[in-house]
């Protein structure tokens, strides 16, 4: 990861003052995410099996438990962003989120068969996940100069995805070694999660940029006014474009399902297809982040959605074996060119003191829009059938792309009251 | 608070890694050596030739027999997650360890020797043998067939021992719904029950958010929906009625009640069982049904019985049991 982040020797000369190295804070946050994702994906991989097979819940009850918390996460994210901005306590809020998720594994372990205990543990996990995301991304965005944010987010997302890939493998290894002892998976996940929290506490600087210092410098008294995040035109445009594009995203599960049905593949492959897309994402997150920094994040973000459109188009053609490779590759490109890039695109438009809250609004908007998109596609599939629904999705995405190209500001986003860039801590 | 020095930080991380890795390893080893019932074959003395009530003993996961209420249970059957037997064969579903989940469907003869073994994806759900023992069906829960990755869907297989022909998933059977051919990628079948002629069968189909009772024909390879909201049918020995679970509530904690449907008139009545039953009931005789419920007093599951005509009160038949089936 670190080698890739160092870039090619033949890269064009940098602007003076822009460091080529990835700040230690980004690497530390990436490591925390890597370790934490191993922990959380271990549980995600085995939870349905555990609940239905180990505890005898009906799949209906499982679906209810699972769905119950998904909506709440979006709101909690806003809360996490707000909390982090208020006093500049990004690290503390993110740390609380990580700790809550780690402790939720202990809850799963202790809950035994009690449905209430399991529901509480799942709720704690989602709460932790929701709280930590926005402050973490704000910390990354505050770790270095705005010119390099695409690369920083690329590094972070690549490390994050590495953890997500390793998690199920770790869970599988534990289940294999213990002949299906689900509690052992929870125990190992708990230990891994604690390590993530410790790494955050020890290695992530509390104040990586000027931001954390800003609100904290205000003495106790009248609360500083809420940063007018939504009043910023440039940010509003990014928000609109991302929500619009999100609403025309049909959800990966549908794409995998179309692949499986098109080729009549065994359903066991369903668990492997996402790994393929994640591997492409992992490989491309850093290079595409760099390219986005150089050629413009707006272009990268739009082209990333173009790749998704390409995946839809591939599925509209007769499905054959190479289609699987093509769709997975395009899906990986889509994530690599949009996920971290969107954060890098929006962050400079946000004042440092309102960054966590602003990013939270952006992430929540996108997540809700995607939920809407997936639900809409599900309904279209049921009403019209598979192909017409896919045609509709492709046309909607093409339209949204055209609109987003107009909405997104063409010029680089100005940083409101851009503070002088402080010396960036370097990786050792 | 000053940040700790790099050396101290490193020492803390190394200590934490050692402690946490040690803890993880310790727990894994503890879990590994814990007492757990291995997948066992039936003891030589245990067969399904003797009359009695056979069921899965939830304590050890092995099949046991009880010849009458209050009599001691005879143990020593194979380990199964689901079990059913009729006529010349028995069917035992076993979950294989590992991820993704796989299920082993063991076809056994009356002396519980293995006749055939089929491995399918998913978690064991329903097992049924036709009255003659020649046609078998099983259902597993699988993840991944559905729109939502976290949701479960079902796969139902039918095995005809007369021809050896195995239909791994009955999803492709031509289905008539509301008088018209129905095509939809979201159809799911589960809970097959066979008639005495080894040809007609009943099952549940779910599509577009509703469940239907379907009547199927193996030779003609066709199925037609009879009525809505009927899951996991179980055909009475005389072939005139089907017990089924009906969704009566949107509360996910207690969605179903057991009903009996008269197939000639399509009239239904509820059983005297007020609790939500998530099981494919079995007929002990033409007047009595048995089904599994979550256990009381810390038991994993109990088998209850109730009168098929809806009168009387449910009675606890076997504590600590599931997958009941009457032989003889």
């Amino acid at each position: 990861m670190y080698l890739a982040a160092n870039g090619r020797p033949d890269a064009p000369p940098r602007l003076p003052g822009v460091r080529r190295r990835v700040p230690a804070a980004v690497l530390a946050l990436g490591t925390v995410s890597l370790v934490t994702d191993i922990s959380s994906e271990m549980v995600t991989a085995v939870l349905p099996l555990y609940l239905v097979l180990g505890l005898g819940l009906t799949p209906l009850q499982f679906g209810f438990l699972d769905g119950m918390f998904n909506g709440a996460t979006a709101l909690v994210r806003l809360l996490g962003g707000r909390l982090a901005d208020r006093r500049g306590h990004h690290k503390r809020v993110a740390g609380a989120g990580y700790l809550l998720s780690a402790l939720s594994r202990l809850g799963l372990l202790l809950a035994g068969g009690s449905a209430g205990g399991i529901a509480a543990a799942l709720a704690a996990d989602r709460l932790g996940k929701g709280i930590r995301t926005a402050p973490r991304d704000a910390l990354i965005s505050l770790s270095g100069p705005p010119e390099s944010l695409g690369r920083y987010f690329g590094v972070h997302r690549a490390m994050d995805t590495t953890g997500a890939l390793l998690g199920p493998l770790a869970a599988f290894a534990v289940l294999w070694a213990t002949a299906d002892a689900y509690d052992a998976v929870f125990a190992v996940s708990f230990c891994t999660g604690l390590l993530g929290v410790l790494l955050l506490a020890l290695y992530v600087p509390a104040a990586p940029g000027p931001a954390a210092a800003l609100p904290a410098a205000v003495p106790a008294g009248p609360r500083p006014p809420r940063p007018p995040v939504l009043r910023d035109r440039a940010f509003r445009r990014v928000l609109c474009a991302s929500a619009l594009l999100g609403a025309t995203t049909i959800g990966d599960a549908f794409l995998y399902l179309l692949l499986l049905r098109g080729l009549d593949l065994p359903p066991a492959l369903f668990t492997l297809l996402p790994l393929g897309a994640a591997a492409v994402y992992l490989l491309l997150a850093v290079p595409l982040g760099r390219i986005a920094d150089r050629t413009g994040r707006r272009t990268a973000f739009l082209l990333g959605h173009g790749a998704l459109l390409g995946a839809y188009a591939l599925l509209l053609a007769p499905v054959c074996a190479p289609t699987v490779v093509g769709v997975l590759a395009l899906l990986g490109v889509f994530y690599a060119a949009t996920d971290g890039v969107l954060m890098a695109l929006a962050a400079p438009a946000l004042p440092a003191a309102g960054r966590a809250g602003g990013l939270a609004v952006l992430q929540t908007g996108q997540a809700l829009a995607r939920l809407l998109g997936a639900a809409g596609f599900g309904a279209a599939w049921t009403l019209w059938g598979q192909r017409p629904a896919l045609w509709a999705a492709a046309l909607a995405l093409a339209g949204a792309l055209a609109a987003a190209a107009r909405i997104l500001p063409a010029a680089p986003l100005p940083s409101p009251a851009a503070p002088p860039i402080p010396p960036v801590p370097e990786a050792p | 608070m000053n940040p700790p020095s790099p050396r101290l930080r490193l020492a803390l991380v190394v200590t934490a890694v050692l402690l946490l890795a040690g803890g993880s390893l310790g727990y894994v080893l503890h879990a590994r050596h814990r007492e757990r019932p291995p997948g066992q074959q039936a003891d030589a003395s245990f067969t399904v030739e003797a009359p009695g009530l056979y069921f899965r003993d939830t304590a050890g996961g092995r099949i046991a027999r009880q010849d009458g209420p209050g009599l001691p249970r005879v143990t020593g059957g194979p380990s199964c997650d689901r079990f059913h037997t009729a006529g010349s064969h028995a069917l035992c579903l076993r979950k294989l360890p590992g991820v993704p989940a796989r299920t082993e469907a063991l076809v056994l003869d009356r002396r519980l020797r293995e006749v055939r073994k089929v491995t399918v994806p998913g978690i064991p759900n329903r097992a049924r043998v036709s009255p003659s023992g020649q046609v078998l069906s099983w259902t597993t829960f699988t993840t991944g067939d559905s729109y939502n990755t976290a949701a479960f869907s079902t796969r139902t297989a039918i095995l005809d021992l007369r021809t050896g022909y195995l239909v791994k998933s009955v999803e492709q059977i031509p289905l008539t719904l509301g008088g018209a051919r129905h095509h939809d990628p979201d159809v799911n079948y589960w809970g097959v029950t066979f008639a005495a002629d080894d040809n007609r069968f009943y099952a549940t189909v779910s599509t577009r958010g509703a469940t239907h009772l379907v009547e199927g024909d193996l030779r003609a390879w066709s199925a037609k929906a009879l009525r809505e909201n009927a899951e996991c049918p179980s055909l009475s020995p005389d072939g005139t009625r089907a017990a089924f679970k009906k969704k009566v509530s949107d509360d996910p904690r207690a969605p179903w009640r057991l009903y009996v449907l008269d197939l000639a008139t399509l009239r239904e009545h509820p059983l005297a069982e007020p609790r939500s039953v998530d099981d494919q009931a079995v007929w002990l005789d033409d007047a009595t049904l048995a089904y599994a419920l979550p256990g009381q007093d810390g038991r994993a599951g109990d088998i209850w019985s109730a009168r098929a005509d809806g009168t009387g009160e449910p009675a606890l038949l076997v504590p600590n049991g599931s997958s009941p089936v009457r032989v003889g």
Side-chain angles (χ1 to χ4, degrees), chain A residues 49 52-53 58-59 61-62 64 66 172 175 177-181 183 187 191 198 202-203 253-254 257 261 267 270 381, chain B residues 9-10 13 16-17 20 24 27-28 31-32 34 36 95 97-99 101 123 141 144-145 147 149-150 152 155 185 252 278:
Chain A
L49 286 177
V52 173
L53 193 70
T58 67
Q61 290 169 315
F62 169 71
F64 174 76
D66 192 62
F172 181 84
L175 282 187
T178 58
D180 280 10
D183 55 335
C191 289
L198 186 79
L202 288 178
Y203 283 97
F254 281 112
L257 191 62
R261 286 197 188 280
F270 199 92
W381 181 326
Chain B
R9 276 194 300 192
L10 192 65
V13 168
V17 166
L20 294 171
S24 300
Y27 200 100
V28 166
R32 192 186 163 91
R34 215 166 21 197
R36 64 180 52 256
K95 191 210 168 259
V99 178
I123 301 168
F141 282 127
D145 269 2
Y147 297 158
T149 42
F152 283 85
R155 312 201 117 211
D278 180 17

Side-chain angles (χ1 to χ4, degrees), chain A residues 103-389:
Chain A
L103 291 177
S104 76
R105 323 284 184 237
L106 204 57
L108 276 178
L109 200 59
L110 298 178
S114 127
I118 288 162
L122 291 183
D125 177 48
R126 297 290 163 90
L127 198 67
K129 228 173 238 177
I131 286 177
R132 74 192 180 217
T133 311
R136 181 200 64 203
D137 280 351
L139 273 178
I140 296 171
S141 80
L142 294 167
S143 302
E147 296 83 18
S148 301
L149 286 188
R151 188 155 60 97
Y152 296 170
F153 275 104
V155 170
H156 174 266
R157 295 304 197 255
M159 296 179 86
D160 190 81
T161 309
T162 307
L165 284 174
L166 292 177
L169 289 179
F172 181 84
V174 170
L175 282 187
W176 174 80
T178 58
D180 280 10
Y182 294 98
D183 55 335
V185 175
F186 300 146
V188 174
S189 166
F190 170 64
C191 289
T192 318
L194 273 193
L195 181 65
V197 176
L198 186 79
L199 288 174
L200 177 96
L202 288 178
Y203 283 97
V204 174
L214 274 183
V218 179
R223 196 179 295 166
R226 195 173 172 178
V229 164
L230 283 174
R231 253 180 275 152
D232 184 84
R233 256 179 75 84
F235 177 73
R236 251 192 356 240
R237 288 170 155 210
V238 176
L239 183 64
C240 285
S242 77
L244 191 61
L245 287 167
T248 52
T249 310
I250 62 178
D252 304 352
F254 281 112
L255 293 179
Y256 301 140
L257 191 62
L258 288 166
L259 279 180
L260 286 187
R261 286 197 188 280
L263 284 176
D264 201 19
L265 296 171
L269 274 180
F270 199 92
T271 43
L272 295 182
L273 290 177
L275 294 186
V280 176
Y281 177 24
L282 168 65
L283 288 176
L284 295 182
V286 178
L288 285 184
R290 287 172 62 94
I291 292 173
D293 283 344
R294 244 180 283 165
T295 61
R297 292 165 198 150
R298 171 184 179 272
T299 318
F301 187 68
L302 293 175
L303 284 180
H305 282 89
L308 184 65
L309 188 58
Y312 293 2
L314 265 185
L315 282 167
L316 280 168
V319 176
C320 55
T323 313
V324 179
V325 180
V327 168
L328 294 186
L330 284 170
L331 204 56
V333 170
F334 162 62
Y335 279 113
T338 57
D339 190 29
V341 170
L342 176 62
M343 294 300 118
L345 181 65
L350 291 164
R355 195 160 286 183
L359 293 184
V361 169
L362 185 64
Q363 289 164 351
T364 299
Q366 192 185 37
L368 291 180
R370 283 191 173 161
L371 208 65
L372 207 69
F377 184 73
W381 181 326
T382 306
L383 282 176
W384 307 330
Q386 172 176 321
R387 276 185 72 81

Side-chain angles (χ1 to χ4, degrees), chain B residues 230-318:
Chain B
E231 295 179 48
C232 293
S234 182
L235 202 57
S236 62
D238 63 14
T240 61
R241 289 155 295 159
F244 65 97
K245 55 184 229 216
K246 177 176 178 172
K247 193 167 176 217
V248 292
S249 158
D250 283 327
D251 179 0
R253 279 168 303 181
W256 296 292
R257 286 283 302 272
L258 278 183
Y259 276 69
V260 168
L261 175 75
D262 187 315
L263 290 167
T265 62
L266 289 185
R267 293 241 302 261
E268 64 180 30
H269 62 264
L271 296 194
E273 172 60 76
R275 289 165 291 183
S276 178
V277 176
D278 180 17
D279 194 17
Q280 187 171 16
V282 293
W283 295 77
L284 299 179
D285 52 52
D286 272 323
T288 323
L289 283 155
Y291 46 86
L293 273 173
Q296 296 172 333
D297 308 326
R299 293 189 298 266
D302 294 333
I303 299 169
W304 290 74
S305 71
R307 292 184 54 81
D309 60 7
T311 62
E313 275 186 21
L316 179 61
L317 199 58
V318 177

